[in-house]
Amino acid sequence: MTNELHPDSVRLAMPAEAIDIVDVQQARLATWPRLADVAKQLDHDEMVQAWHDAIVRPPLATYRVLVAVDQLNHVVGFAAVGPSDDPDAEPTDALVAEFCVHPAAMGSGHEDRLMHAVADTLRADGFERATWWVTSDDDQTRALLDASGWAPDGAHQEVGDEDDHLRVKLVRLHTALVD
């Protein structure tokens, strides 16, 4: 059997791809030295189940999980989007809750395709603005967002684990989805 080539693309995730999403997520986490140990402690099966549930039983119809696929139809990235749950959010504000491209696939256009699909999906769902919480030291994602017209909106927060062993500073960026 030969693998049929398809154009690189982005589409809604299928339930069976939950395991691929976790593999991409864990590969990306492993590239961040301070999160690599945390990633090793996460239960793989629980993560797969959580992504499966997010795909099959989202809490609202506007919660979506998108996947970027390569020419062999392998998942190389994903994004999870939906309504913003920030306290200052308007009903037309969306949130990019997760956005991840496998380190081996970065720089191949998947980031741009996935970002455009996120914006198109949110726009189609009636959202007018999107927000995205980014770790303050994630220069790679910040550069991608800056180049795509996202900008800090002044909101920030610090989150951590239950024991406060790991503290992460986040900065919120936003972009308009409508002209």
Side-chain angles (χ1 to χ4, degrees):
M1 177 191 285
T2 61
N3 287 325
E4 185 177 334
L5 293 180
H6 302 273
D8 292 338
S9 62
V10 177
R11 58 174 168 68
L12 289 172
M14 295 183 282
E17 292 170 327
I19 192 165
D20 300 323
I21 290 170
V22 171
D23 291 344
V24 169
Q25 189 174 34
Q26 288 185 322
R28 179 71 171 124
L29 287 172
T31 66
W32 292 335
R34 63 192 168 96
L35 296 179
D37 289 336
V38 174
K40 292 176 189 173
Q41 296 172 16
L42 299 173
D43 184 288
H44 188 269
D45 292 339
E46 286 179 15
M47 291 174 69
V48 169
Q49 186 62 50
W51 280 111
H52 181 272
D53 292 348
I55 295 165
V56 174
R57 289 185 299 279
L60 294 170
T62 53
Y63 282 89
R64 314 250 185 206
V65 178
L66 305 171
V67 291
V69 294
D70 66 11
Q71 294 179 350
L72 296 175
N73 211 30
H74 296 139
V75 173
V76 294
F78 69 94
V81 299
S84 176
D85 58 358
D86 289 337
D88 61 345
E90 298 293 328
T92 56
D93 286 351
L95 174 68
V96 179
E98 292 281 342
F99 186 97
C100 193
V101 174
H102 194 286
M106 294 188 79
S108 301
H110 298 293
E111 303 96 313
D112 290 335
R113 272 187 292 285
L114 189 55
M115 186 166 312
H116 283 94
V118 161
D120 290 345
T121 298
L122 293 173
R123 211 176 284 114
D125 283 339
F127 293 107
E128 296 176 4
R129 183 177 91 120
T131 58
W132 189 326
W133 288 97
V134 180
T135 58
S136 61
D137 60 350
D138 185 355
D139 296 335
Q140 190 172 25
T141 301
R142 297 271 310 257
L144 175 69
L145 292 172
D146 288 343
S148 301
W150 291 71
D153 66 7
H156 54 41
Q157 63 179 326
E158 191 171 339
V159 296
D161 63 8
E162 295 170 359
D163 299 326
D164 264 351
H165 291 120
L166 176 68
R167 301 295 300 165
V168 178
K169 293 180 181 180
L170 302 173
V171 176
R172 188 174 68 188
L173 283 76
H174 74 281
T175 192
L177 297 170
V178 295
D179 296 331

